[in-house]
Amino acid sequence: PAPAEAGRVPGPPDGGWGWMVLLGAFVSIGFAYAFPKGLAIFFKEIQDFFGTSYSEIAWVSSIMLATTYGAGPISSILVNRYGSRPVVMFGGLLCGVGMISAAFCTSILQLYICVGFITGFGLALNLQPSVIIIGKYFLKRRPLANGLAMAGSPVMLCTLAPLNQFLFDNFGWRGSFLILGAILLNCCVAGALFRPIGPGTAQVKTQVTEEGKDALKGKITEDGPMESKTEEEGEKDCFEKVNQYLDFSLFKHRGFLIYLIGNVLMFLGFFAPIVFLAPYAKHTGVDEYSAAFLLSILAIVDMVARPATGIIANSRWVRPRIQYFFSFAIAFNGACHLLCPLASSYTGLIVYSSFFGLAFGMVCAMLFETLMDLVGAARFTSAVGLVTIAECCTILLGPPIGGILIDTFGDYKYMFIKCGSVMVLAGTFLFIMNYYNYRMLAKEEKERKAKEEDPKSVRTENEGQKNWNKDSTQDGPELEPLKEKGEGLKKEMNGT
């Protein structure tokens, strides 16, 4: 890339090499989301091989998904420290090692470790860096870019569902795991495309006096940590050092807390229907290939829904109130699950899979875009890590609870009713609380403008704060530590 202009950090190019980065994110995100769902093809046979129950075999996908989300803070810290490229490449290596090791497992517990923890951790190192780097390469086209990147999940699922059935028929589940481990190594190739944006370092403009400028000068790495050496650095305690990579002040952010609570509730019923869709079809008498084809139908519709949702979300009518659109998508997803027990024939299952794919694609396309809309690009890296660690608990419990309901009642309908009810509740909660949040933001903006009109108010401080917010959201890298130092200097200069 060309050298940055003096005194400025390069902004998102919204194109160029960003499209190659988007391709790499497409592959990485596709494997991270689709792989745990595609493994459901092997569950019936693995269950018979080890003699386990539905709930025990469901823990394989649950542990993998929970590890993928629970390792979010670790992934975010590594991205802040080393950048997206090496983290994704190392994650791809872990995925391959985990699946190859799973081919030699002799108990369900060993599958939990190899497939659940090792492969799940590798997928975590693929997911978060891929989402984060999209925000660094795109700003105006960010909703569209997120929608296209998230489309990697249905494309991979559409491919993996019939591929896994073919591999099982020809090589068994052990041979299939060996081949899938080799396929996952392609994540290393995808990570190699994540070239850091900008020349590496640049000085930051500030809105304070010359003394403030000298104190605030530091080197900022676009795809790595911010190395600002100060005298107080050696005196930082452990919490301050951790807070340098994970911004815990987000827990004071009203919009972030609303998003967090709604998503934690939503994930209690988000993944279980996909995990049990193929086994449910087999339970109703559908043959194996037709059951796997239901996942392909879901993936094909999902593949179209994600970019289309990104285009709609990027429109000037929806983007200012994208949180409402996200709430509707979650409630629509839950309504599909509530109606699923009515689909008793294979034609009904095809209709359910189509609507489920549409609703699922809408939610996934806006999952991270709505979070970035709330917290801004500068704090997004920390926000992703904190959200995923909170979501991992309900992701871990969702499929096993569904398996327990199936084992208890001998019927799948109670699992679908549980998932649908939870998601309708989550969508309703988010819609109401986002309405409250938008009202409060409008009220706070009105009060801020009233203070600016008062000539005796501390207008300088408000303008400085506004400038800092503008720089942190537009320039891309994490500027929050500098922002805090700038506020401290301005308070000291004003005698406060």
Side-chain angles (χ1 to χ4, degrees):
E5 296 177 4
R8 283 194 60 82
V9 176
D14 274 302
W17 186 257
W19 299 116
M20 297 303 298
V21 172
L22 185 61
L23 176 62
F26 178 90
V27 175
S28 297
I29 293 175
F31 277 121
Y33 276 117
F35 197 77
K37 306 165 196 170
L39 286 182
I41 299 297
F42 303 102
F43 281 179
K44 184 67 176 175
E45 289 71 25
I46 295 177
Q47 180 183 352
D48 295 337
F49 184 86
F50 290 113
T52 59
S53 63
Y54 282 104
S55 58
E56 287 176 323
I57 195 64
W59 279 102
V60 176
S61 284
S62 292
I63 293 173
M64 181 187 291
L65 287 168
T67 305
T68 301
Y69 278 76
I74 299 176
S75 181
S76 297
I77 290 173
L78 291 175
V79 170
N80 282 333
R81 183 67 181 87
Y82 300 106
S84 294
R85 176 187 281 174
V87 174
V88 173
M89 295 179 72
F90 179 67
L93 182 62
L94 277 182
C95 291
V97 170
M99 288 305 298
I100 292 172
S101 301
F104 302 96
C105 291
T106 57
S107 67
I108 193 68
L109 180 61
Q110 293 175 0
L111 276 181
Y112 292 161
I113 296 173
C114 295
V115 179
F117 288 108
I118 298 178
T119 306
F121 185 67
L123 293 177
L125 299 183
N126 277 268
L127 178 59
Q128 276 81 6
S130 302
V131 174
I132 290 168
I133 200 168
I134 290 175
K136 295 183 177 181
Y137 268 90
F138 293 91
L139 179 62
K140 295 179 181 179
R141 300 174 179 173
R142 195 181 64 211
L144 176 61
N146 276 319
L148 291 173
M150 290 295 178
S153 174
V155 170
M156 292 296 179
L157 182 59
C158 182
T159 306
L160 285 175
L163 175 64
N164 287 349
Q165 190 65 54
F166 172 79
L167 292 176
F168 174 77
D169 292 339
N170 289 274
F171 304 101
W173 68 270
R174 293 186 184 276
S176 300
F177 279 15
L178 283 172
I179 297 173
L180 291 174
I183 293 175
L184 282 174
L185 292 175
N186 285 285
C187 293
C188 300
V189 181
L193 296 174
F194 291 173
R195 187 172 67 188
I197 184 172
T201 59
Q203 292 183 341
V204 182
K205 277 189 174 181
T206 62
Q207 301 294 329
V208 294
T209 58
E210 293 296 326
E211 292 81 6
K213 290 183 179 180
D214 294 334
L216 289 172
K217 284 182 180 178
K219 292 185 178 181
I220 297 176
T221 305
E222 185 64 20
D223 201 28
M226 182 175 60
E227 301 175 355
S228 181
K229 297 183 178 180
T230 62
E231 296 179 358
E232 295 82 5
E233 185 174 0
E235 301 176 1
K236 287 184 178 180
D237 58 17
C238 181
F239 178 79
E240 290 175 332
K241 290 181 180 179
V242 172
N243 197 60
Q244 182 180 358
Y245 299 104
L246 285 176
D247 186 5
F248 289 98
S249 66
L250 284 166
F251 287 106
K252 299 179 181 179
H253 192 291
R254 183 175 58 245
F256 174 78
L257 290 177
I258 293 172
Y259 177 92
L260 181 63
I261 295 171
N263 276 257
V264 167
L265 182 62
M266 176 194 73
F267 276 108
L268 194 60
F270 192 60
F271 287 113
I274 293 183
V275 173
F276 289 107
L277 178 58
Y280 174 53
K282 294 178 183 179
H283 177 76
T284 58
V286 177
D287 63 273
E288 295 176 347
Y289 274 95
S290 298
F293 185 65
L294 290 175
L295 290 175
S296 298
I297 294 174
L298 186 151
I300 291 171
V301 178
D302 190 4
M303 192 188 313
V304 178
R306 297 197 190 201
T309 302
I311 294 173
I312 296 172
N314 201 37
S315 64
R316 58 188 180 93
W317 298 283
V318 177
R319 190 169 185 181
R321 293 293 183 267
I322 193 174
Q323 305 297 332
Y324 291 148
F325 194 28
F326 182 55
S327 305
F328 165 76
I330 295 175
F332 177 49
N333 203 320
C336 292
H337 302 325
L338 290 175
L339 297 175
C340 178
L342 300 177
S344 56
S345 64
Y346 186 66
T347 304
L349 288 175
I350 291 177
V351 174
Y352 165 72
S353 299
S354 302
F355 279 97
F356 183 20
L358 174 62
F360 192 84
M362 291 172 64
V363 173
C364 291
M366 294 184 290
L367 193 61
F368 294 108
E369 173 59 32
T370 48
L371 178 59
M372 191 177 294
D373 176 72
L374 289 169
V375 303
R379 307 172 77 182
F380 181 66
T381 304
S382 296
V384 170
L386 295 175
V387 165
T388 51
I389 188 64
E391 292 170 347
C392 74
C393 298
T394 50
I395 290 173
L396 178 66
L397 296 175
I401 291 176
I404 291 173
L405 291 174
I406 296 170
D407 291 333
T408 303
F409 298 100
D411 196 339
Y412 283 79
K413 70 177 182 180
Y414 297 102
M415 185 273 300
F416 285 105
I417 292 173
K418 183 271 295 184
C419 294
S421 302
V422 167
M423 295 199 67
V424 169
L425 178 62
T428 305
F429 169 81
L430 284 174
F431 188 88
I432 296 173
M433 294 307 296
N434 281 320
Y435 173 76
Y436 166 77
N437 187 38
Y438 280 132
R439 290 287 300 272
M440 292 300 295
L441 289 174
K443 182 180 178 181
E444 290 165 1
E445 179 68 15
K446 184 177 180 181
E447 292 176 354
R448 186 186 65 82
K449 289 182 178 180
K451 286 183 180 180
E452 288 182 350
E453 292 175 357
D454 185 3
K456 294 183 179 180
S457 66
V458 285
R459 184 172 181 178
T460 304
E461 183 173 353
N462 289 337
E463 290 178 347
Q465 178 73 20
K466 183 178 179 181
N467 290 332
W468 275 107
N469 289 336
K470 182 179 179 181
D471 290 338
S472 63
T473 55
Q474 290 184 352
D475 290 343
E478 298 288 336
L479 298 181
E480 291 298 315
L482 282 182
K483 176 181 173 182
E484 294 173 0
K485 293 178 184 178
E487 290 174 350
L489 284 172
K490 285 181 280 185
K491 288 181 179 180
E492 184 178 354
M493 292 167 59
N494 291 333
T496 58

